[in-house]
Amino acid sequence: MSNKSSVLTAWRIVKKLPFGHWLFTKIVCFKAPYFGSMKPYILNLKAGYCSARVKNRRRVHNHIGTIHAIAQCNLAELCAGVMVDATVPVKTHRWIPKGMTVQYLAKVDTDVTAIAEIDLPHQWLDKEDLVVPVKLYNTRNELVFTADITMYITAKK
């Protein structure tokens, strides 16, 4: 039996369909409904890597008309979570977010793209804190936000 992530399997199947990226994102947001509030769009996914975008629209704005700080955190957590779910061996391990440290580097006045990436291969331990770096870029390719999201990985019993 395969040890591959059902998230990664679904991505590989659905991304080939018309509107596949949109459909996959809807599936993710159905599983974790809170993320749907910002209307994300998953751009790419593979073991150790995920990228996603949020459009600069009023529903994610703060009082000065830029993308809200917490919307940036939500996008970072979504991207990191989907990447970890696609990477951790599902037969033997599970994960949950444990903490997040962020830096707001600039106002976000355009669409924003998040990239979560870890080095592979990775030796999965019985218990570990996996720190997932996430970077957000505006459409001018300027780094506007960083997050280090700690995922608590444990072996299944």
Side-chain angles (χ1 to χ4, degrees):
M1 202 170 241
S2 173
N3 201 24
K4 296 213 180 199
S5 162
S6 59
V7 169
L8 194 53
T9 300
W11 168 257
R12 289 178 177 153
I13 293 167
V14 174
K15 75 175 184 174
K16 297 174 187 175
L17 301 173
F19 306 103
H21 292 242
W22 174 86
L23 180 60
F24 179 80
T25 303
K26 289 292 184 190
I27 293 167
V28 168
C29 291
F30 180 78
K31 185 176 178 182
Y34 179 74
F35 291 122
S37 66
M38 64 183 168
K39 296 204 178 282
Y41 185 83
I42 297 181
L43 300 167
N44 197 2
L45 177 63
K46 60 185 177 182
Y49 181 90
C50 181
S51 60
R53 179 181 61 230
V54 164
K55 288 188 177 265
N56 180 24
R57 57 173 68 118
R58 189 175 191 287
R59 82 177 312 137
V60 295
H61 279 179
N62 56 25
H63 65 289
I64 61 172
T66 60
I67 295 182
H68 193 282
I70 299 305
Q72 295 173 59
C73 290
N74 289 339
L75 178 59
E77 185 181 352
L78 168 76
C79 206
V82 171
M83 184 277 296
V84 168
D85 209 48
T87 306
V88 170
V90 295
K91 293 273 184 215
T92 59
H93 290 76
R94 60 182 170 233
W95 64 273
I96 190 165
K98 185 177 181 182
M100 178 188 294
T101 303
V102 301
Q103 289 189 320
Y104 305 100
L105 305 174
K107 294 178 193 172
V108 183
D109 58 358
T110 70
D111 296 354
V112 65
T113 299
I115 298 171
E117 187 170 22
I118 62 169
D119 291 331
L120 293 178
H122 183 85
Q123 180 65 43
W124 302 103
L125 306 174
D126 286 345
K127 291 183 181 178
E128 70 177 289
D129 287 340
L130 175 68
V131 178
V132 178
V134 184
K135 296 179 180 180
L136 274 64
Y137 296 91
N138 63 19
T139 58
R140 296 180 295 275
N141 205 32
E142 298 165 335
L143 183 64
V144 294
F145 171 98
T146 62
D148 286 325
I149 303 176
T150 302
M151 301 295 192
Y152 184 52
I153 315 287
T154 57
K156 290 180 180 178
K157 295 183 178 187

